[in-house]
Amino acid sequence: MELKRENLLIVDDNFDMLEVLHRNLKAMNFHAFKASTVTEALNILLYTPIDLIITDLQMPGGSGLELLDYVHKNNPGLPSLIITGFPSIESAMQASRLGAQDYLTKPFTNQELKKAVSNILARKHKSTKEKVSRVSKVNSYAGMVGNSKAFENLIDMIERVKNNRATVLITGESGTGKELIARAIHYSGAFAADPFVAVNCAAIPESLIESELFGYVKGAFSGADQTRKGLFESANGGTIFLDEIGTMPYNVQSRLLRVLQEKEIRKIGAQKSEKINLRIIAATNEHLPSLITQQKFREDLYYRLNVVALQTIPLRHRKVDIPLLVDAFLKKYGEEYGKPNLTIGEEAIELLVSYSWPGNVRELENAVQRMIIMSNDAIGVNEVNFLQENIRHDSMENDLLPLQDVERQYILKVLAAVGNNKTKAAEILQINRKTLAAKLGQKL
């Protein structure tokens, strides 16, 4: 029986009720997570994308209303279902103000639970589909352009993570727009008014990266004549984007791990740590499991970063988007170079589509700029001549890859299609999870 994509979180201090709910939801084919306290629930929310919260109201050590208040502030739009044995009009109204979409009084039947959950998720799906439908009509989203299935899947993932602080790891080839995706997550979500700080880990000298990220106090080292806050502190409340995370020095990785685990930083030379509240988005074009094997990247840090995995798609695998991208770049750079009415011919477009674009969208963008500069009234085949040799080379090579690379690319494609659900991916690939993990170079 096929598992549904939604992740449900059940919160109740009554162990028997928790087990019954978990069993019933599992029978409905949902992924269900259990928490007996608000603290446990918050820990799950911190590291797991959740689509619906089902919570009791009265619990020791924190009430369901406190949980809803946290969700309302940190993940607006996440629906919730209240279950309680002590109903009151006041609590119902308060829960409704905090985003609760339905209210069940204990004891309730399995059918009542199923109906309430189904109705809430149906409303959520309708809202998401309307957003994606609007995106498909305009072929753009937060500065990104496309009309392929891969583009729609990407937008769906962004919609799922944009309003919470779950850590995101974006992987993919150079030039596929990893920073653009990170900015889309931040600026289209609930924390758009808060800081967005982008850090290229590879561009900062190894001797300076620690002080740049964490800051330092006056007198911490020679030349530290004043206290300076680091980039983590600058991003507090918002998002920090750590690009090329695979190049981060090993000793600094341990400090980043502490940021993820404890939500605190300590300036170089400081005696005390400071609490921070931000979202970390990391990106890399390297295969981190391979770096782990080479002892260049911490395995525990990899799993902390890889809470929500987002794989970008190379341009050669979504060629249907090339005409749309060309049109967008023509408008952007046509204005910039004083040629706003420049057009491009069909034969030129066909040549651009036939090329494999190893540099991905970045290479296409640079090519369009060159064509605009070299053209007068229209871009034709002659203006695309500089790509002819590369196109001929592509046709000879026919985009041939080693079998291992083809297999890995397909596995990643399947994982992306099922929302990184490894159990479902293994079913589609007709292998077990252990074999899947081995092929990805991961541990279960």
Side-chain angles (χ1 to χ4, degrees):
M1 195 173 287
E2 183 177 340
L3 284 172
K4 296 174 183 174
R5 292 180 63 184
E6 293 86 355
N7 291 333
L8 275 55
L9 172 60
I10 320 160
V11 190
D12 199 310
D13 63 311
N14 185 309
F15 181 78
D16 292 335
M17 175 60 72
L18 202 60
E19 287 299 311
V20 168
L21 288 172
H22 183 264
R23 185 169 61 249
N24 289 344
L25 291 170
K26 193 173 179 181
M28 298 176 202
N29 303 326
F30 290 110
H31 299 272
F33 296 81
K34 297 183 292 184
S36 58
T37 66
V38 171
T39 302
E40 282 183 44
L42 293 179
N43 284 330
I44 292 172
L45 286 170
L46 196 58
Y47 299 114
T48 308
I50 296 296
D51 297 291
L52 170 64
I53 296 176
I54 302 173
T55 182
D56 191 11
L57 283 182
Q58 296 189 13
M59 295 178 286
S63 71
L65 290 175
E66 290 173 338
L67 174 61
L68 293 186
D69 184 58
Y70 173 88
V71 170
H72 184 67
K73 292 175 181 175
N74 292 275
N75 194 353
L78 174 57
S80 53
L81 167 64
I82 299 300
I83 52 172
T84 181
F86 305 95
S88 71
I89 295 176
E90 182 182 354
S91 64
M93 290 179 63
Q94 196 172 352
S96 179
R97 284 195 297 268
L98 294 174
Q101 296 195 6
D102 210 339
Y103 197 98
L104 288 179
T105 302
K106 299 176 183 177
F108 47 83
T109 67
N110 189 32
Q111 283 302 314
E112 288 173 327
L113 173 66
K114 184 176 182 178
K115 182 179 178 181
V117 169
S118 299
N119 288 342
I120 292 173
L121 291 176
R123 289 194 294 269
K124 179 179 169 63
H125 289 161
K126 182 180 178 182
S127 175
T128 300
K129 284 181 180 178
E130 286 173 352
K131 289 174 184 174
V132 173
S133 176
R134 288 196 295 272
V135 168
S136 297
K137 288 175 184 176
V138 299
N139 301 316
S140 65
Y141 183 97
M144 298 183 293
V145 176
N147 199 25
S148 61
K149 184 63 178 176
F151 183 77
E152 289 187 7
N153 289 340
L154 172 64
I155 302 313
D156 180 60
M157 286 294 291
I158 292 174
E159 286 290 326
R160 284 172 171 268
V161 303
K162 68 179 187 178
N163 291 324
N164 59 59
R165 296 191 187 276
T167 305
V168 180
L169 178 62
I170 307 172
T171 57
E173 296 178 10
S174 293
T176 48
K178 293 187 283 293
E179 181 170 345
L180 201 58
I181 292 169
R183 290 182 180 275
I185 292 171
H186 176 80
Y187 288 111
S188 62
F191 314 110
D194 296 309
F196 178 90
V197 176
V199 184
N200 186 337
C201 298
I204 304 174
E206 186 172 337
S207 58
L208 297 178
I209 190 167
E210 191 170 8
S211 60
E212 286 291 315
L213 289 174
F214 297 95
Y216 52 82
V217 298
K218 183 178 179 180
F221 49 82
S222 178
D225 52 0
Q226 60 181 0
T227 297
R228 179 181 171 184
K229 69 179 181 180
L231 296 171
F232 277 113
E233 191 175 353
S234 297
N236 196 19
T239 302
I240 189 166
F241 173 57
L242 301 175
D243 199 8
E244 299 195 51
I245 190 71
T247 65
M248 179 175 284
Y250 204 83
N251 64 307
V252 181
Q253 292 177 29
S254 61
R255 296 201 64 180
L256 173 58
L257 183 64
R258 182 170 180 82
V259 175
L260 289 162
Q261 288 175 329
E262 307 297 336
K263 299 298 178 184
E264 62 183 27
I265 57 169
R266 181 180 294 185
K267 291 184 176 72
I268 297 175
Q271 299 299 312
K272 293 183 179 180
S273 298
E274 306 167 41
K275 285 290 183 182
I276 57 168
N277 182 29
L278 50 68
R279 167 172 47 201
I280 294 177
I281 302 177
T284 182
N285 60 7
E286 300 188 65
H287 185 226
L288 292 183
S290 296
L291 295 183
I292 293 169
T293 302
Q294 300 168 36
Q295 297 187 333
K296 293 180 180 178
F297 201 84
R298 294 182 62 109
E299 186 174 20
D300 47 4
L301 176 59
Y302 171 69
Y303 290 118
R304 284 289 187 181
L305 290 172
N306 199 29
V307 175
V308 178
L310 208 163
Q311 172 83 20
T312 62
I313 308 298
L315 188 55
R316 62 184 176 276
H317 292 159
R318 57 182 188 104
K319 288 191 172 186
V320 67
D321 292 336
I322 289 177
L324 296 170
L325 288 162
V326 171
D327 185 56
F329 294 143
L330 276 178
K331 290 177 182 176
K332 177 181 178 181
Y333 294 107
E335 293 284 349
E336 184 176 325
Y337 295 130
K339 301 178 181 180
N341 299 317
L342 200 63
T343 59
I344 184 168
E346 286 298 322
E347 289 185 9
I349 285 287
E350 288 175 8
L351 282 173
L352 294 175
V353 171
S354 68
Y355 180 43
S356 67
W357 301 104
N360 293 297
V361 178
R362 185 185 296 131
E363 184 185 4
L364 176 63
E365 184 175 7
N366 292 339
V368 172
Q369 289 185 69
R370 174 173 172 166
M371 289 186 290
I372 292 172
I373 293 169
M374 302 303 293
S375 304
N376 293 319
D377 300 322
I379 297 172
V381 174
N382 289 337
E383 284 72 34
V384 190
N385 274 341
F386 69 96
L387 283 176
Q388 289 287 4
E389 185 59 37
N390 292 334
I391 292 170
R392 280 195 296 272
H393 179 70
D394 273 359
S395 63
M396 291 172 62
E397 292 290 332
N398 197 26
D399 207 15
L400 298 176
L401 294 169
L403 180 60
Q404 185 177 358
D405 291 351
V406 174
E407 181 183 63
R408 177 174 176 77
Q409 285 183 7
Y410 183 69
I411 289 173
L412 292 173
K413 182 179 179 180
V414 172
L415 279 168
V418 297
N420 206 40
N421 181 334
K422 292 182 176 61
T423 300
K424 179 60 180 173
E427 289 176 6
I428 293 171
L429 294 165
Q430 295 185 359
I431 58 178
N432 58 42
R433 281 198 52 164
K434 187 175 181 180
T435 302
L436 176 63
K439 288 181 181 295
L440 292 172
Q442 298 176 353
K443 290 184 177 180
L444 284 174

